[in-house]
Amino acid sequence: DIDKIDSGEQNFTLNFYAIFRWLDPRLAHEGPGNIIRGLSDVWNPRLTLINTQRYWANTQDEVEITPAGMVTYRLHVFGDFSQPLALHDFPRDRHVLEVPVVAAGYRPHEVVLLPDPRVDSFIADRLSVADWKVDNMQGQSREVTLANGLKLPGFVFSFEASRLLHHYVIKAIIPLALIVMMSWVVFWINPDQVPNQLGVAVTTVLTLIAYHIALAGKLPDIPYLTRMDLFLFCSTLLVFTALVEVVITSRLARDGRLNLARRFDQVSRLLFPATYLGVAGWALLSA
């Protein structure tokens, strides 16, 4: 089960259960039933989850041994797993999240981790995470390369996670678009009504600033721009440009060039919506 995927913290919270088996003839016994031994009391592949940040184990470090020497080790952990995420496409991003299990201290020619042909790996049908679509769960034997270049035998559980866009459309994109559209009201107010025009323009700018503050907690803190950052920046720029247009038309109306000021407003009625549609499509939908 997956409880959470945190873009800002670059991790995900996972409820993970795995069963590992290996045959050790040295541990064969007369039985009749299975025996329990401590994990450190028998040979074991030193299985390690290498991308854990913090976790809690619900199983003991012990193994179950059949009379034939088949050893079963059960691992059940709950916690946070680190995962570097490329968030350039946020909020339309898709990621492959991995849980690598390695045989620490061994080389690929010494230990091989293989899928159990009798039991398939699986993920819960209904997950706890609400704002992501998770699918394509896989488990495969693979060498895992550490930061120092050391290769370890491993088995990697992976799944694909796609962020659900409708949450951000309803709570972020549509409100922002409405604020930008509110700034276009000034183009329909007579340029000689300066207080009314400036009142609407300044109110829109202040509303956008408050929106920035409210939205800050929902956006990941990363050192590069995402699709949402570009959309937000372009929206802010258009609102500010509308304020500048109000100042220009107000000055023209005060200088007696009212017809020219009205022509500015008429052009802006078409230019600003067309520009915003182009900007929104480029920022949110472009490849």
Side-chain angles (χ1 to χ4, degrees):
D1 190 15
I2 302 167
D3 280 30
K4 182 177 66 172
I5 300 175
D6 195 321
S7 302
E9 295 293 335
Q10 301 276 285
N11 65 17
F12 59 96
T13 303
L14 189 68
N15 192 337
F16 178 77
Y17 182 77
I19 300 176
F20 302 91
R21 297 186 180 92
W22 61 90
L23 182 63
D24 190 344
R26 298 170 299 178
L27 299 177
H29 57 89
E30 296 181 357
N34 299 340
I35 62 173
I36 305 297
R37 299 276 296 274
L39 180 63
S40 60
D41 295 334
V42 301
W43 179 91
N44 67 85
R46 301 176 188 169
L47 298 168
T48 305
L49 302 172
I50 63 173
N51 64 335
T52 55
Q53 292 181 327
R54 58 176 181 175
Y55 71 93
W56 297 266
N58 293 329
T59 49
Q60 302 293 328
D61 283 337
E62 57 187 24
V63 295
E64 183 179 352
I65 307 171
T66 67
M70 179 64 71
V71 183
T72 300
Y73 172 57
R74 294 174 175 84
L75 177 66
H76 183 198
V77 299
F78 173 82
D80 298 331
F81 294 74
S82 63
Q83 178 70 53
L85 302 176
L87 299 170
H88 298 84
D89 286 337
F90 173 87
R92 295 180 57 224
D93 47 331
R94 184 178 182 88
H95 310 278
V96 177
L97 307 181
E98 295 184 342
V99 182
V101 183
V102 300
Y106 293 97
R107 298 296 178 265
H109 67 277
E110 296 175 320
V111 172
V112 178
L113 302 180
L114 299 174
D116 190 335
R118 298 170 297 176
V119 181
D120 291 329
S121 300
F122 65 93
I123 194 169
D125 295 331
R126 298 184 63 182
L127 301 175
S128 300
V129 62
D131 54 340
W132 292 80
K133 178 185 177 183
V134 178
D135 54 14
N136 197 22
M137 195 285 178
Q138 295 182 1
Q140 60 179 335
S141 179
R142 194 175 78 193
E143 292 183 2
V144 177
T145 304
L146 303 183
N148 60 359
L150 181 65
K151 294 183 181 296
L152 299 178
F155 194 88
V156 180
F157 299 91
S158 65
F159 52 90
E160 295 183 3
S162 303
R163 197 185 302 270
L164 297 179
L165 184 61
H166 66 271
H167 168 80
Y168 292 91
V169 170
I170 296 174
K171 294 190 176 181
I173 295 176
I174 291 180
L176 179 59
L178 292 177
I179 293 174
V180 175
M181 293 177 186
M182 185 172 69
S183 69
W184 303 340
V185 173
V186 297
F187 306 141
W188 301 87
I189 301 177
N190 201 320
D192 59 359
Q193 300 180 14
V194 178
N196 293 337
Q197 279 195 322
L198 285 177
V200 172
V202 172
T203 299
T204 305
V205 171
L206 295 177
T207 303
L208 188 60
I209 293 174
Y211 180 82
H212 269 274
I213 297 174
L215 192 63
K218 295 183 177 294
L219 301 180
D221 296 326
I222 49 179
Y224 53 85
L225 294 179
T226 66
R227 288 179 182 270
M228 191 66 189
D229 293 326
L230 292 174
F231 180 62
L232 187 58
F233 174 76
C234 293
S235 299
T236 303
L237 188 61
L238 279 177
V239 170
F240 178 76
T241 304
L243 176 61
V244 173
E245 195 272 352
V246 168
V247 174
I248 293 174
T249 56
S250 299
R251 181 61 181 268
L252 291 175
R254 191 180 65 177
D255 292 344
R257 292 187 288 179
L258 186 59
N259 290 334
L260 181 58
R262 288 173 177 169
R263 179 57 60 88
F264 262 96
D265 283 344
Q266 290 173 356
V267 172
S268 298
R269 294 171 189 173
L270 299 177
L271 180 62
F272 274 73
T275 302
Y276 191 60
L277 287 176
V279 166
W282 168 73
L284 296 177
L285 304 176
S286 64

